[in-house]
Amino acid sequence: MRRTALLASAAVLTALIPLTAAGTASGADDPAPVPVDRFEGEVPFGQQPAEGIFTWGGDADDPPALQLAERTDAPEGAKVLTGSYDISGYGGFTHDFAADRPAHDWSAHQGIRFWWDGQNNGKKIAFEIKDGGANGEASELWTTSFTDDFSGWKQISIPFTDFTYRTDYQPVGGIDHVLGLTQMWGYAVTLPVGVKGHFALDGVELYGRADQSRRASVTTDSAVYPVGEGGAAQVKVTVATTGSAPLDEPVTVTYDTAGGTAESGTDYTAAQGTLTFPAGTPSGSTRTIQVRTLKDKAAEPAETIPLKLAVTGAKAPAETPQVVIDAHGLPYLDSRLPLKKRVADLLSRMSLEEKAGQMTQAERAALTSQGDIAAYSLGSLLSGGGSTPTPNTPEAWAKMIDSFQLRAQATRFQIPLIYGVDAVHGHNNLAGATVMPHNIGIGATRDPQLAERTGAVTAGEVRATGVPWDFAPCLCVTRDERWGRSYESFGEDPALVESMETVIQGLQGRADGRDLSRDDKVLATAKHFVGDGGTAYGSSTTGSYTIDQGVTKVTRQQLEAVHLAPYRTAVDRGIGSVMPSYSSLDILGDGQGPVKMHARADMINGVLKGRMGFDGFVISDWNAIDQLPGDYATHVRTAVDAGVDMMMVPYTYKDFRTTLIDEVKAGRISQKRIDDAVSRILTQKFRLGLFEHPYADTSGAAEIGSAAHRAVARQAAAESQVLLKNEGGVLPLKKSQKVYVAGSNADDLGNQTGGWTITWQGASGTHTQGTTILQAMRKAGGDVTYSKDASAPLNGYDVGVVVVGETPYAEGVGDVGNGHDLQLSAADKAAVDKVCGAMKCAVLIVSGRPQLIGDRLGAIDALVASWLPGTEGDGVADVLYGKRPFTGQLPVTWPKSESQLPINVGDASYDPQFPYGWGLTTLTRVPNGGTATLKALALAAAAAERTHSAPAGRAIVTQARLLVQQKAGPGITAAIAAPFADADHLLLTGKYAAAVAKLTEAYRSVT
């Protein structure tokens, strides 16, 4: 699922309130303007802690080029600030005041203004100011925008009351959410994206007097007040001032209840009156308005009572608060009724507009206002990768989602939202959550029970923040390690993927859905249907991607055996939702050619819902319908008719809903199809218990990132470690040994957790709580010296440990050929060469896929595939120091060269560096006896197969595997690799005797 980081994106900026840009005449008693920037050279180009103007951007090309230029038409002085820009991500410039001097007090002024040289390009320019905090880069950001729809110089005046708290990014997570104006640290300008241009700015200054109506505001404690019929709503009205000064003049609030769907005198007692806050009233003072509702005997949907507020002497609330009389007495509200009856009753009452809203999912940060939830009857919101509340804490998540759910209570039937996140290896958007190894590492554990436990931990942490829906697990079968999503797969063998689908029960509970309403379970999503792991290299048409979102070209038999098989298992396990793939499917011989999966009715309606009997709902991928051919109405019609029930349309939720309604009214989409989609969505909302408990149950919040949860992640990290080579018994290490540690990934938590961690792409460095491999080795009691680049002296050590590998990426951004390859970096290669040339060494590869290491393998004594182990580096140290044995096995084939790709178990030509299923062990006795032992194991395996004794069968095949690995050593030939890999596939399909026979063949091939 593609997720964009929501830092100053153009989509977010367009949601900001545009200014009416005009010069404001100063009153006779206004103070003189106070200059902030004259651009005559008094403020240098520089950065913190000194005062200065500096640029920034999303990548190296995004920061604008600035200069102070003399202009004869300068509105003020002789010089202006000019700049040129060509921004693809985000970019702009900042003026920070000096951090070693007191912050500035702007509270006496009405606003800030400046001269802008208009280019008439119609683009929005974001302007933000920096309030409170330690300095300009650790302050609270408040933002607004103006439109460059004019030519030549124009003075832009912005009252401070027009600034809103920035919700998409805060450098320190927000401070007090109050624009105090008494400790200001400067301003910043964000320039337009996607247009090459230039600008000029001059005369930034503070203007006007801060009269009370501009610095005082009236707010209510909520926008929606649901009450049971006959109950009373208590609406708290608060007056507050900028800088928290007492009121200079009285503030009056006249209120009146009128204009809603509830009827005065029948449904409620009308309320009118005036509240007065006299001069001298302290900021933060509150008065209460009570609205009483009346009881009758009728069953009714929810009814609204707007409380209209007229304010003098202060700024009025941004929207009219509503009292809502809860829906009552209707069958769908009766939890004792059968689920199907509840769904049918509710569906029968809904309008087309309400049904279309249920099929619409928006990104939380893209809402024009929270009122849109009720206005458009939205069925769902999501957090994309990196889309988090401020601060990013469990409490803030729960509070945010509760505020969204409260808005849904203002709809006729009070249908709760279903909120979704990509918790693909733990609640990975949440700072401090337990981050598991990525799926590729879980596949390496070969431990279905552990996979289920990781799912249970994830579900508990996700649900405790108010989120009931997880866009996981990914059931892709990765067939080419050049794919940037390889690490999202459990492995290259569909049998391995199927065996790890116990994670679904960890997430959802029992297959019949009875556990979904628990406070520690979430709705799971099988993705990406179908064939996303089989796309051909070079087939992608998405930007610079090379393989992700490309074309999977297969025979129908290959499709069934490799890519569809995991979905049959998922449906049997009761998966609640399914997400189609961005990729296209080309089934050889069907005459259709490549068709985008979001358009394949034969696969979604025909195979998934029809033949497999999937009864959950299908959610589109992020903006995926935009990739379909035709105009927008065709996109909507094609996807809905193909069987997609809910559309993830992050920024275009209004357009989608309107278009869907129009298509149904025109007869191009059937009402029957709409009813099917909405029934499926409502069914899962009822199963989740959202109608009875829409708000966050935070009783499990104390367990987020707890020792018990981290213990599960630690075990998963340990079991995911695959020991590929161990000459001379270098591993496990002894605590008495002096160990020299080097490499880029030894002490980098961000590299260790990979993509989809806090942000979509992930990032190097420390951005959440966890233990790096280096820290864990020290905690384990090791005598450790660390030199990242191996520049420290190398003499006097018993063994070296070099931790190398990849830096984070996600999706097609990580495709090989899109700025990535399978080679170690030059710095990592140098570290390996230095350490392994000076002492016995173990090399750990922290990566989402195999790295090409063959040219250095001879100099390496021990080699470990560490994958992306998550936050618990202690699990890696556990196997390094022998607290646990190495038991992991390769979930994918480890190639010798990139030219071998794609290479997978079962290929006719199979000569890898290490075969699928390879994994040495420590602390475990390897049987002796050679072929005689294998013959005895073959008989025992046949017996286990006859009696369907899976534990015995697995143990027997493991014994045979260890025997082959011991004899083969590092000299793995094609004759050994092919039957060895086949044996692991046979083991996973329960064919224990055949697996031992293949291992016997491999054993006999060892020369």
Side-chain angles (χ1 to χ4, degrees), residues 521-561:
K521 294 300 172 191
V522 294
L523 195 75
T525 308
K527 64 184 189 183
H528 304 88
F529 186 82
V530 62
D532 53 334
T535 50
Y537 190 80
S539 66
S540 181
T541 57
T542 300
S544 57
Y545 294 6
T546 58
I547 185 169
D548 188 34
Q549 304 184 22
V551 179
T552 299
K553 195 169 187 176
V554 287
T555 65
R556 189 162 293 277
Q557 189 278 331
Q558 289 170 329
L559 176 66
E560 294 283 345

Side-chain angles (χ1 to χ4, degrees), residues 473-523:
C474 185
L475 301 183
C476 51
V477 182
T478 179
R479 306 293 285 178
D480 190 330
E481 278 53 68
R482 290 171 291 189
W483 188 32
R485 302 191 81 135
S486 292
Y487 62 77
E488 294 188 47
S489 174
F490 292 114
E492 70 185 36
D493 182 354
L496 174 57
V497 175
E498 289 179 77
S499 73
M500 293 294 112
E501 289 186 52
T502 50
V503 70
I504 294 171
Q505 265 56 67
L507 292 166
Q508 291 195 167
R510 285 169 286 189
D512 60 7
R514 72 177 77 177
D515 296 326
L516 282 171
S517 61
R518 283 172 37 175
D519 64 3
D520 62 349
K521 294 300 172 191
V522 294
L523 195 75

Side-chain angles (χ1 to χ4, degrees), residues 128-197:
E128 73 185 18
I129 54 179
K130 303 185 171 197
D131 178 52
N135 56 61
E137 297 309 290
S139 58
E140 198 167 68
L141 306 182
W142 291 73
T143 187
T144 187
S145 67
F146 66 94
T147 303
D148 188 339
D149 55 1
F150 54 92
S151 298
W153 289 107
K154 185 175 186 178
Q155 192 172 42
I156 309 295
S157 299
I158 310 175
F160 290 130
T161 51
D162 282 356
F163 286 92
T164 58
Y165 178 80
R166 186 169 169 180
T167 57
D168 59 318
Y169 172 69
Q170 288 289 341
V172 290
I175 299 166
D176 58 7
H177 296 226
V178 174
L179 181 56
L181 293 174
T182 57
Q183 288 186 301
M184 302 303 294
W185 291 106
Y187 66 89
V189 175
T190 302
L191 294 163
V193 176
V195 58
K196 192 172 184 178

Side-chain angles (χ1 to χ4, degrees), residues 25-111:
S26 297
D29 60 345
D30 281 352
V34 174
V36 176
D37 262 345
R38 298 181 64 245
F39 303 114
E40 301 301 311
E42 77 282 9
V43 178
F45 292 109
Q47 286 186 264
Q48 289 288 327
E51 181 166 13
I53 300 168
F54 64 93
T55 62
W56 39 265
D59 57 39
D61 297 329
D62 284 350
L66 302 183
Q67 63 175 330
L68 298 176
E70 290 198 15
R71 291 258 300 249
T72 56
D73 63 345
E76 192 279 331
K79 296 179 182 177
V80 301
L81 179 69
T82 64
S84 59
Y85 58 90
D86 185 4
I87 302 167
S88 58
Y90 62 92
F93 61 91
T94 290
H95 174 185
D96 273 354
F97 300 147
D100 57 358
R101 283 178 254 163
H104 295 210
D105 186 347
W106 291 359
S107 63
H109 295 274
Q110 179 183 348

Side-chain angles (χ1 to χ4, degrees), residues 310-349:
V311 179
T312 57
K315 187 177 180 181
E319 59 184 303
T320 299
Q322 292 188 83
V323 176
V324 180
I325 304 172
D326 288 335
H328 54 278
L330 301 173
Y332 77 89
L333 295 169
D334 187 350
S335 61
R336 297 167 298 179
L337 288 179
L339 186 87
K340 286 187 177 180
K341 284 192 175 182
R342 297 182 76 184
V343 171
D345 176 70
L346 177 52
L347 189 71
S348 70
R349 300 174 186 279

Side-chain angles (χ1 to χ4, degrees), residues 752-776:
Q752 191 174 298
T753 51
W756 288 108
T757 311
I758 307 302
T759 58
W760 174 42
Q761 289 293 316
S764 300
T766 302
H767 45 52
T768 189
Q769 297 167 25
T771 305
T772 68
I773 294 171
L774 175 67
Q775 290 167 341

